[in-house]
Structures are given as structure tokens and as C-alpha cells.
Amino acid sequence: MNRLRFPTPRSSGLRRALGWTGAMLFVAAWYLAAQAAMDLLFEVKPGPDAFRADLIAHLVIGALLYGMSSSLARFALGTAALFTALTLGNALKMSILGGPLMPDDFVAAKNMFLLLEGWQLAGAALMVAVPAILLWWMIAWRRAWSWVNVGGIALAVALLVTFPEPASLALDKQLGNSVWNQRGNFESRGLPLQLLQEGVRSRARREPAPTPDEVEAAIARLGTSARSDLIKVASPAGPKRNLHMIVLESFWDPMLLGASKLSADPLDPAFRELWAASGHAHALAPVFGGYTANTEFEILCGFPVERDNVFFEGGLRNDVPCLPRHLASAGYRSFASHPNAASFWNRVNAYRRIGFDTYWSDSDFALDDMNEGFLSDASLYRQVLERLGTEIQGPTPIFNYVLTYFGHLPYPLNAQRQNVVGAAEGHATVEAYANTMYYKSRELMDFLHELRQRDPDSLIVLFGDHLPALGNQFGGFRESGLLAPNRAEFSDTMFRTLVATPLILIDGRRGVVKTGDLPFYQLPGLLLRLLEDQRPSMMALTAPEPGSPAIRPLPGMHFIGDGDTVTTCRDPADQSAACTSSTARLAALRVIGRDIFGGAQHALRRLEPTPGFRAAASALPPDELKPKL
């Protein structure tokens, strides 16, 4: 007679011990294999000092997950999917943009899905969906211990959210922190601790909106008198010329890449001639390789971006008198054109808040000349001119803002655009980029020629939004000695190289203006001067002054450019005269910017006793306040 056998406590405990041992051995084996693979494929791995702490962090996460899992097999699948997605995403960002995953990247991830297509979109979707599905499938939802673990995790998160400052200080004391060198932070911490530490810091630095006294003190530090007419909206004297701003995706000079041995100069000779007339002027961007929206914010609103997140996504919460709205109060109509998804980087809301009358996105253009997913500049320019029609010569001045899309990584060309520039073996990405610049520069010059013929007195400004991404660890730049593989190894001049793009400013029939190095946030104030718009505005706070050095803030640091001399201010304790003065100025701008763009706008009310820009905005018909999508 067969009898039922019940597991003894001893055999049950043994199985549990074997299960836990197997789970932890699996995590350790996965960790070693993953780090070796990421180092081999992307040259990304934690430093030797971080190895132990990073492995322990993975084991702790693994233990929490195994405590909720229904079986060892399900745990292995779910954990491997989660860890692999995060590790691969971090390696991709590190290799392309030079920095690790940050908490804000998860908020901005939805924009990446709008940018990708085909197998890249499918791969990105799988990186999100597969771990989520497997983790849900892994968890034993009917087991009490699973809910205990979930509750413990929720409690820990709640404590960190409620008390972020002491947690951030404790983590910084234990693990260290370099604000300007996030790659170095990752290499000294590993990914789990990097996300934990920066997540807590992100929560801790959510500063309250500035008070009226703080705003007044910041204005005083800038040396700006608090005149009651600082932002008045009286019409400027003199003619109202059109303003055309052309933002060129990843536009830069490939001939600087000497190691790539390009077979010909990709840039149109006509562009070279114009750029030489400018004295080879450069704009200084807040970003490298991506995050165009931060460049947009600076060139449209006149305040610097200093943090490694997208300002359009969370920092721009108020209606503000940026360049479009300021010009609208003088009778201008403004048009923004960008053949990408309308909602990318929150542009629908951002463009409305800064005052654009009309926004033409991908659905408004005939996608008739595509380079994979990117509409050619030639088609974009042609369609913009067709849409503007007689507006260019009409009685109402216009602000024509064009943000190109062609030129984005991976630099594809269609059958009508064959490669004409070769590069050295092993420099395929540089070759693809150089050929993209060949067509991009020529399509630009054809458009510029027609634009100047149709609107000879207009003010035209064009520039690259940021440098291109050309390979792992600043590949392309690294081989030519322009950049080091790690920001910690950058010389002072390398920080300027990292963000300097060609800039051409054409002042109507007067010709090209020599601006020198111009940080993007100083451009709006300069444009208003050239338009002879003498009305005070918030953008006057950052307008360039003759003889003053260029101050370019970057996350955690800034540099000062004065001709051929570059001085970096990386250490908050740096007490040199130049760094002390520039640090104080940037701190004042930070306070005023927080107040205007996300706070109570004490600066606008203090400096503007009349309704000001709100009156100008409310005078427009309601449908004119919404982008036309």
C-alpha cells in the first residue's frame, strides 16, 4: 500500500537553502558575464574599486526579487531580463553620449520611442516590455511573503522620497560625488547605486520657488536696475524686419577629424566663405550629441540650462515672455517648423508656453524625400517657404523658426543621395556623417540663397544644435585627439570643443556679423539688439557685452572662454577671481530662471507693474495660442 510522503522540515529547509544558493550564484554569474560583454562591446564597466559594492547591490536586488518569485527558473528569466535591459541601456548611453543612465532618462524615455523606427523601435519596445512581463510572471502574487517584500520596498521608497536630503548627504559621504563627471560617478559606484544616489539627489534638489527677496537679491547681483519699464511692451521704433532662425541637426565641421582622412571637404564652399566672413564664429551649446530641446530653450528664452535633463519636460511650467511672445507684443507672427512627432520633448506644450503662434510638425509636411525616418532639409525648406508664401513680404513681420531633422544619428541617406566622401578604414560612422554634411550644407546654402533674395533685409541666424555622436567613448573625436575617452581626462580646451558648433549671423544687407564664441543663451538678447528692439526684456539680462568673456555652464561645472583661452571651473571650492565672479553670476541667473519659468514670477511682476506680456498674449484669438498640429 502506497503512503503519502510529506516533506520533512529538514528536506524543506535544504531545498530552500539550495534555491537561495542557486539564485545568488545565478546573479553573480550573470553579473560577471554582463560586465565582460559590456566592456568588450562598448568599453563600459564599473571601475575596480566599485566591483565589490556593485556586485553586492545586484545580489541585494536579486535577493528581494527571489523572495517574491514562484520558482528559481522564473526568477532567473525575470531577473536576467531586468538587469540586462538596464545594463545595456546604460552602456548604449555611455558609449554615445558619454554619461550613464540618470533618473530623468526614465521620464524622457517615451521620446526615444518617437525617434526610433523599424528594428530599433522593436528592440527598444522589447527592452521595456519583456522585463515588465517576466517580472509580473515571476512574482508569486498569492504568497504572503511576496507582499511583505513589496511592502518593504514601498516603505523604503517612501522614506527616501520623504527625507531625500539626509539620504543624499549620507550617500555622498559614503560613495563620493562629482557633479560634472557622471561617468566617473558610475565607474566608482556601479549602476544600481548610481541610480539610487542620483534619484535621491534629484528629489533633494527640488528647491522651493524663490521668494521676492531672493529674486530682488539676484537681480542686484547681476547689476540690473529694477526699472519699472524693464519688460514693458511698447512698440520699438524703426522698421520691423523678419527674423529667420535655422537650427541645424548635428551640424559641425567634419574636416577637424584628421584621423578619419576624409577624401574631400564635405561642407559647401559657399558655407565656408560665409563662415570665414564671420571669423569662424561658434555657438556654445549646453549639450553634446543629443537633447536638442535644451539648445532650443536657450536660443528662444535666453537663460542657461545647467542640469543633465530636458528643461522642456519639467522646468518650463509657466507662460513666459521668450523670444516668440516678446516679438508678438511688437506685432510679429511666429512660426515653428520641425518635421518630427509634435509631442517629442514636450514641444507642443513648450512652444505654446513660450508664445509660438503656429507649430508645423511631421503631420503638416509631405514626407516626400525621406532618408529613412528623416525628412530631407531640401524638402523641409521648400515646404516652409511654400507655407509662409506672401507672409515673408507682407506687412506683418514674422519670426520664422526652422528646426531640421535630417542629420540625426545614424546619418542615413536615400538612393538619390549617394556617398561622395570617403574615409579611412574603420571610420564608417564618420564617413556616413561626412556624407550627410555634404548634402546638408548644400541644401542649406540653396535655401539661404533663395531666402536672401526674397527677404534681403531680414535677420538670419543659423547654427548647429550640438556636436554629432560618432562612436563609443567619443569615438571619431577621440582618434583625432579632439576629445579624451572620458570627461575626467578632458583638458580645458576639450570642454569648448565638446560644445562648439558653427554659427553664422547675417544682418540683412549689412552682411555677416562677427560674434566670436557665443553661448546659446546669449543669442536672444543679441538678436533683439540687431532688430533695434530697444524695449527692455528678461532676455536683456544675458545679452553679450563687448569684451566680456563667454561663460558656458555645463552640468556641475562651467568654463570661461576668452578668445583662445579657456578656463574651467569644476571645483565648487575654486576661489579664483574669474570662477568666483562667473559662479555668482550663474547662481543669480539660476534664481531668476527658477522664478520666471517654474515659480511665482516675482521678477516679472517686480519689474513690470503693467500686465506686460500677459496682455499681449490675451490679445490674440484663442485659437492662435495653440500650435497648429
Side-chain angles (χ1 to χ4, degrees), residues 221-249:
R221 283 202 302 272
L222 291 177
T224 304
S225 60
R227 302 200 322 259
S228 63
D229 63 346
L230 185 63
I231 311 180
K232 69 180 181 180
V233 292
S235 297
K240 297 176 182 177
R241 297 188 291 157
N242 294 334
L243 170 61
H244 303 277
M245 183 180 290
I246 307 163
V247 187
L248 301 161
E249 172 64 45

Side-chain angles (χ1 to χ4, degrees), residues 164-224:
E165 290 188 20
S168 180
L169 291 173
L171 287 168
D172 284 353
K173 183 178 180 179
Q174 182 66 30
L175 301 173
N177 179 56
S178 174
V179 182
W180 65 272
N181 184 17
Q182 288 297 337
R183 180 190 176 95
N185 285 339
F186 161 75
E187 291 176 343
S188 66
R189 303 169 183 165
L191 184 57
L193 291 175
Q194 167 75 13
L195 291 174
L196 172 64
Q197 193 164 351
E198 295 308 316
V200 172
R201 188 189 322 285
S202 178
R203 178 71 182 178
R205 72 185 181 193
R206 293 185 181 181
E207 305 160 292
T211 66
D213 289 343
E214 289 172 332
V215 171
E216 190 70 27
I219 293 172
R221 283 202 302 272
L222 291 177
T224 304

Side-chain angles (χ1 to χ4, degrees), residues 109-194:
K110 63 182 184 296
N111 294 287
M112 293 299 101
F113 289 96
L114 297 174
L115 180 64
L116 302 174
E117 61 179 20
W119 69 268
Q120 294 174 323
L121 176 60
L126 289 173
M127 283 181 65
V128 175
V130 170
I133 293 170
L134 289 178
L135 285 173
W136 184 269
W137 173 70
M138 176 199 79
I139 295 175
W141 292 106
R142 295 184 179 181
R143 196 166 64 193
W145 191 250
S146 298
W147 290 101
V148 171
N149 276 14
V150 170
I153 294 171
L155 177 61
V157 171
L159 290 172
L160 291 175
V161 169
T162 306
F163 306 103
E165 290 188 20
S168 180
L169 291 173
L171 287 168
D172 284 353
K173 183 178 180 179
Q174 182 66 30
L175 301 173
N177 179 56
S178 174
V179 182
W180 65 272
N181 184 17
Q182 288 297 337
R183 180 190 176 95
N185 285 339
F186 161 75
E187 291 176 343
S188 66
R189 303 169 183 165
L191 184 57
L193 291 175
Q194 167 75 13

